[in-house]
PDB file of all heavy atoms in Angstrom:
ATOM      1  N   SER A 141      -9.651  73.784   1.039  1.00 81.00           N
ATOM      2  CA  SER A 141     -11.012  74.349   1.040  1.00 81.00           C
ATOM      3  C   SER A 141     -11.405  74.927  -0.308  1.00 81.00           C
ATOM      4  O   SER A 141     -12.581  74.888  -0.701  1.00 81.00           O
ATOM      5  CB  SER A 141     -11.124  75.437   2.130  1.00 81.00           C
ATOM      6  OG  SER A 141     -10.148  76.440   1.912  1.00 81.00           O
ATOM      7  N   ASN A 142     -10.447  75.470  -1.055  1.00 85.00           N
ATOM      8  CA  ASN A 142     -10.740  76.046  -2.380  1.00 85.00           C
ATOM      9  C   ASN A 142      -9.879  75.344  -3.416  1.00 85.00           C
ATOM     10  O   ASN A 142      -8.798  75.849  -3.788  1.00 85.00           O
ATOM     11  CB  ASN A 142     -10.462  77.553  -2.389  1.00 85.00           C
ATOM     12  CG  ASN A 142     -11.392  78.305  -1.448  1.00 85.00           C
ATOM     13  OD1 ASN A 142     -12.586  78.001  -1.355  1.00 85.00           O
ATOM     14  ND2 ASN A 142     -10.853  79.303  -0.755  1.00 85.00           N
ATOM     15  N   PRO A 143     -10.273  74.168  -3.869  1.00 86.00           N
ATOM     16  CA  PRO A 143      -9.442  73.461  -4.854  1.00 86.00           C
ATOM     17  C   PRO A 143      -9.471  74.155  -6.213  1.00 86.00           C
ATOM     18  O   PRO A 143     -10.468  74.784  -6.607  1.00 86.00           O
ATOM     19  CB  PRO A 143     -10.095  72.075  -4.918  1.00 86.00           C
ATOM     20  CG  PRO A 143     -11.513  72.293  -4.512  1.00 86.00           C
ATOM     21  CD  PRO A 143     -11.489  73.399  -3.499  1.00 86.00           C
ATOM     22  N   ASP A 144      -8.352  74.075  -6.911  1.00 86.00           N
ATOM     23  CA  ASP A 144      -8.232  74.635  -8.264  1.00 86.00           C
ATOM     24  C   ASP A 144      -8.378  73.466  -9.235  1.00 86.00           C
ATOM     25  O   ASP A 144      -7.437  72.734  -9.501  1.00 86.00           O
ATOM     26  CB  ASP A 144      -6.873  75.323  -8.428  1.00 86.00           C
ATOM     27  CG  ASP A 144      -6.757  76.035  -9.780  1.00 86.00           C
ATOM     28  OD1 ASP A 144      -7.755  76.070 -10.525  1.00 86.00           O
ATOM     29  OD2 ASP A 144      -5.648  76.527 -10.080  1.00 86.00           O
ATOM     30  N   TRP A 145      -9.613  73.261  -9.735  1.00 88.00           N
ATOM     31  CA  TRP A 145      -9.897  72.092 -10.577  1.00 88.00           C
ATOM     32  C   TRP A 145      -9.356  72.288 -11.978  1.00 88.00           C
ATOM     33  O   TRP A 145      -9.540  73.332 -12.586  1.00 88.00           O
ATOM     34  CB  TRP A 145     -11.403  71.819 -10.633  1.00 88.00           C
ATOM     35  CG  TRP A 145     -11.994  71.448  -9.314  1.00 88.00           C
ATOM     36  CD1 TRP A 145     -12.855  72.187  -8.561  1.00 88.00           C
ATOM     37  CD2 TRP A 145     -11.753  70.251  -8.601  1.00 88.00           C
ATOM     38  NE1 TRP A 145     -13.181  71.534  -7.405  1.00 88.00           N
ATOM     39  CE2 TRP A 145     -12.506  70.316  -7.401  1.00 88.00           C
ATOM     40  CE3 TRP A 145     -10.967  69.117  -8.826  1.00 88.00           C
ATOM     41  CZ2 TRP A 145     -12.499  69.316  -6.460  1.00 88.00           C
ATOM     42  CZ3 TRP A 145     -10.981  68.120  -7.893  1.00 88.00           C
ATOM     43  CH2 TRP A 145     -11.725  68.221  -6.723  1.00 88.00           C
ATOM     44  N   VAL A 146      -8.681  71.278 -12.472  1.00 89.00           N
ATOM     45  CA  VAL A 146      -8.211  71.256 -13.851  1.00 89.00           C
ATOM     46  C   VAL A 146      -9.216  70.542 -14.742  1.00 89.00           C
ATOM     47  O   VAL A 146      -9.424  70.910 -15.898  1.00 89.00           O
ATOM     48  CB  VAL A 146      -6.828  70.567 -13.932  1.00 89.00           C
ATOM     49  CG1 VAL A 146      -6.335  70.482 -15.381  1.00 89.00           C
ATOM     50  CG2 VAL A 146      -5.815  71.320 -13.096  1.00 89.00           C
ATOM     51  N   HIS A 147      -9.886  69.517 -14.188  1.00 90.00           N
ATOM     52  CA  HIS A 147     -10.881  68.764 -14.953  1.00 90.00           C
ATOM     53  C   HIS A 147     -11.985  68.344 -14.006  1.00 90.00           C
ATOM     54  O   HIS A 147     -11.725  67.909 -12.878  1.00 90.00           O
ATOM     55  CB  HIS A 147     -10.247  67.528 -15.613  1.00 90.00           C
ATOM     56  CG  HIS A 147     -11.195  66.764 -16.493  1.00 90.00           C
ATOM     57  ND1 HIS A 147     -12.018  65.765 -16.033  1.00 90.00           N
ATOM     58  CD2 HIS A 147     -11.457  66.868 -17.818  1.00 90.00           C
ATOM     59  CE1 HIS A 147     -12.727  65.278 -17.012  1.00 90.00           C
ATOM     60  NE2 HIS A 147     -12.402  65.934 -18.129  1.00 90.00           N
ATOM     61  N   ARG A 148     -13.226  68.470 -14.517  1.00 90.00           N
ATOM     62  CA  ARG A 148     -14.399  68.079 -13.730  1.00 90.00           C
ATOM     63  C   ARG A 148     -15.341  67.299 -14.628  1.00 90.00           C
ATOM     64  O   ARG A 148     -15.285  67.414 -15.853  1.00 90.00           O
ATOM     65  CB  ARG A 148     -15.101  69.305 -13.149  1.00 90.00           C
ATOM     66  CG  ARG A 148     -14.196  70.139 -12.244  1.00 90.00           C
ATOM     67  CD  ARG A 148     -14.839  71.431 -11.809  1.00 90.00           C
ATOM     68  NE  ARG A 148     -15.952  71.191 -10.913  1.00 90.00           N
ATOM     69  CZ  ARG A 148     -16.651  72.169 -10.312  1.00 90.00           C
ATOM     70  NH1 ARG A 148     -16.355  73.437 -10.556  1.00 90.00           N
ATOM     71  NH2 ARG A 148     -17.632  71.870  -9.496  1.00 90.00           N
ATOM     72  N   PRO A 149     -16.236  66.478 -14.052  1.00 91.00           N
ATOM     73  CA  PRO A 149     -17.173  65.718 -14.894  1.00 91.00           C
ATOM     74  C   PRO A 149     -18.086  66.642 -15.687  1.00 91.00           C
ATOM     75  O   PRO A 149     -18.535  67.690 -15.194  1.00 91.00           O
ATOM     76  CB  PRO A 149     -17.945  64.861 -13.898  1.00 91.00           C
ATOM     77  CG  PRO A 149     -17.096  64.821 -12.671  1.00 91.00           C
ATOM     78  CD  PRO A 149     -16.381  66.133 -12.630  1.00 91.00           C
ATOM     79  N   SER A 150     -18.383  66.222 -16.928  1.00 89.00           N
ATOM     80  CA  SER A 150     -19.303  66.982 -17.781  1.00 89.00           C
ATOM     81  C   SER A 150     -20.736  66.552 -17.508  1.00 89.00           C
ATOM     82  O   SER A 150     -21.011  65.640 -16.717  1.00 89.00           O
ATOM     83  CB  SER A 150     -18.927  66.760 -19.253  1.00 89.00           C
ATOM     84  OG  SER A 150     -19.053  65.383 -19.592  1.00 89.00           O
ATOM     85  N   SER A 151     -21.658  67.227 -18.194  1.00 87.00           N
ATOM     86  CA  SER A 151     -23.075  66.874 -18.035  1.00 87.00           C
ATOM     87  C   SER A 151     -23.359  65.470 -18.555  1.00 87.00           C
ATOM     88  O   SER A 151     -24.193  64.741 -18.007  1.00 87.00           O
ATOM     89  CB  SER A 151     -23.946  67.913 -18.766  1.00 87.00           C
ATOM     90  OG  SER A 151     -23.581  67.973 -20.144  1.00 87.00           O
ATOM     91  N   ASP A 152     -22.635  65.073 -19.624  1.00 89.00           N
ATOM     92  CA  ASP A 152     -22.813  63.704 -20.125  1.00 89.00           C
ATOM     93  C   ASP A 152     -22.322  62.679 -19.098  1.00 89.00           C
ATOM     94  O   ASP A 152     -22.953  61.623 -18.923  1.00 89.00           O
ATOM     95  CB  ASP A 152     -22.048  63.525 -21.437  1.00 89.00           C
ATOM     96  CG  ASP A 152     -22.621  64.385 -22.564  1.00 89.00           C
ATOM     97  OD1 ASP A 152     -23.817  64.773 -22.452  1.00 89.00           O
ATOM     98  OD2 ASP A 152     -21.900  64.677 -23.527  1.00 89.00           O
ATOM     99  N   ASP A 153     -21.217  63.004 -18.404  1.00 89.00           N
ATOM    100  CA  ASP A 153     -20.746  62.102 -17.362  1.00 89.00           C
ATOM    101  C   ASP A 153     -21.738  62.012 -16.217  1.00 89.00           C
ATOM    102  O   ASP A 153     -21.979  60.928 -15.661  1.00 89.00           O
ATOM    103  CB  ASP A 153     -19.387  62.575 -16.844  1.00 89.00           C
ATOM    104  CG  ASP A 153     -18.319  62.559 -17.929  1.00 89.00           C
ATOM    105  OD1 ASP A 153     -18.429  61.719 -18.842  1.00 89.00           O
ATOM    106  OD2 ASP A 153     -17.392  63.388 -17.856  1.00 89.00           O
ATOM    107  N   MET A 154     -22.363  63.136 -15.861  1.00 88.00           N
ATOM    108  CA  MET A 154     -23.354  63.119 -14.781  1.00 88.00           C
ATOM    109  C   MET A 154     -24.556  62.268 -15.168  1.00 88.00           C
ATOM    110  O   MET A 154     -25.093  61.516 -14.344  1.00 88.00           O
ATOM    111  CB  MET A 154     -23.783  64.549 -14.458  1.00 88.00           C
ATOM    112  CG  MET A 154     -22.671  65.453 -13.966  1.00 88.00           C
ATOM    113  SD  MET A 154     -22.080  65.027 -12.329  1.00 88.00           S
ATOM    114  CE  MET A 154     -23.527  65.462 -11.363  1.00 88.00           C
ATOM    115  N   ALA A 155     -24.954  62.371 -16.440  1.00 88.00           N
ATOM    116  CA  ALA A 155     -26.095  61.565 -16.891  1.00 88.00           C
ATOM    117  C   ALA A 155     -25.738  60.086 -16.955  1.00 88.00           C
ATOM    118  O   ALA A 155     -26.582  59.213 -16.706  1.00 88.00           O
ATOM    119  CB  ALA A 155     -26.566  62.062 -18.255  1.00 88.00           C
TER     120      ALA A 155
END
Side-chain angles (χ1 to χ4, degrees):
S141 57
N142 295 320
D144 185 5
W145 296 111
V146 178
H147 184 272
R148 301 173 68 176
S150 62
S151 58
D152 294 338
D153 298 330
M154 298 290 292

